[in-house]
Amino acid sequence: MSKKIELLRSKFKKYNIDGYIVPKNDDYFTEYSKVNRLKIISNFTGSAGLAVILKKRNYLFTDGRYTIQSQIESGKNFKIINFEKIANFRLFKNLKLGIDPKLFTYRQMKNYFLRYKIEFINENLIDQIEKEKVNDSFPFFSLKKKIVGESSDSKINKISNYLKKNKSDFIFISAPENVAWILNIRGSDGPNSPIPNCRLIISKAKKIILISKIKKCKKLLKDKIIKLNQLIDIKKLPKEILSLKGKKFIIDQNSCSIYYEDIIKSKFQILKKEDPTYFLKSIKNKTEINNLKKAHILDGVALTKF
């Protein structure tokens, strides 16, 4: 048995749980994140999976793409099961399972764990065993309008109109790729794409609050992409949300974690809707279309040469 699994099990009594659930995603719900807690506990390196560690048995849920790989990497300590069976997995029915509420949404709870007893633990038990060291100091940078074809002011204006239409005061943009599109910024927080790990609050009055680690935003401040009073450190987010004045908050139930939803609903009425950014960015402007064509030509040439 893995020493890490034994260390995790030793914590069950303290938190009064029978097992612990470890997803693949990080707290930004990024598929290919630099932090991979699932790999730490199970040795599984696939892009989709979820582990449940119990007092005496361990289960790894994944899909058909990883049937062979998961068995090779994790079969020694985990029973491999298809994702589709998790909602009706009888062995978990009378057990209390612990989760980190920053890594799950209420929608996931409903889809996967509705029949189970779930205990929210505001600490990550895998981090207590082994915290992955990742370079988290890469600065965010901005893209000029001539590259993206639309200013961030124009995009914020569209979202402000959406809030007014839905009679809401604020929206919580919890998916980093949507923040990137709205503010025309990029980063290096993902291994394969220029994702800037951050979140954004937009008010119907077009005011914005960018939530991130301050050190990552120094270049944005220097280039006057955002102002200091539009930026807050991620650790101050709960207090900042509770200081806002208004009644209604829109959140996206696919990317807003239980942790942040609970903070927002402690003061505001929540409207669960799909983030309008997904629709807005799906309609490409002329600049984006031209850049798509150029990218495909470069990609095609590279493939042909290969």
Side-chain angles (χ1 to χ4, degrees), residues 101-231:
K102 289 182 179 178
L103 305 182
F104 292 89
T105 66
Y106 274 113
R107 169 169 270 192
Q108 286 175 317
M109 288 293 106
K110 187 177 178 181
N111 290 344
Y112 294 155
F113 310 116
L114 184 63
R115 299 171 185 232
Y116 309 143
K117 298 174 188 174
I118 300 295
E119 182 77 15
F120 299 159
I121 301 170
N122 286 318
E123 300 173 60
N124 192 283
L125 301 192
I126 303 300
D127 289 352
Q128 291 180 9
I129 296 165
E130 181 182 316
K131 194 156 188 178
E132 255 186 313
K133 292 180 180 179
V134 297
N135 189 343
D136 198 27
S137 60
F138 293 108
F140 298 161
F141 59 95
S142 61
L143 300 177
K144 293 181 179 178
K145 185 184 172 182
K146 66 179 182 180
I147 294 173
V148 295
E150 184 178 4
S151 69
S152 59
D153 287 343
S154 170
K155 295 172 181 180
I156 291 166
N157 188 52
K158 288 176 182 177
I159 291 171
S160 170
N161 290 336
Y162 174 84
L163 285 168
K164 290 171 185 174
K165 185 179 176 181
N166 286 277
K167 297 178 180 178
S168 292
D169 301 293
F170 302 97
I171 184 168
F172 184 51
I173 309 291
S174 41
E177 65 271 21
N178 290 350
V179 181
W181 182 84
I182 294 165
L183 297 183
N184 293 332
I185 63 173
R186 300 293 187 268
S188 301
D189 291 318
N192 307 308
S193 58
I195 294 291
N197 277 351
C198 55
R199 299 180 179 91
L200 184 68
I201 294 172
I202 301 176
S203 77
K204 65 181 178 184
K206 305 177 191 176
K207 291 183 179 179
I208 65 167
I209 301 170
L210 179 64
I211 305 119
S212 177
K213 291 185 176 179
I214 302 294
K215 65 180 180 180
K216 291 187 173 187
C217 301
K218 286 182 178 178
K219 187 168 173 51
L220 300 183
L221 290 167
K222 185 181 177 182
D223 295 342
K224 298 182 180 179
I225 305 303
I226 57 168
K227 298 173 184 174
L228 192 59
N229 64 358
Q230 296 174 320
L231 176 66

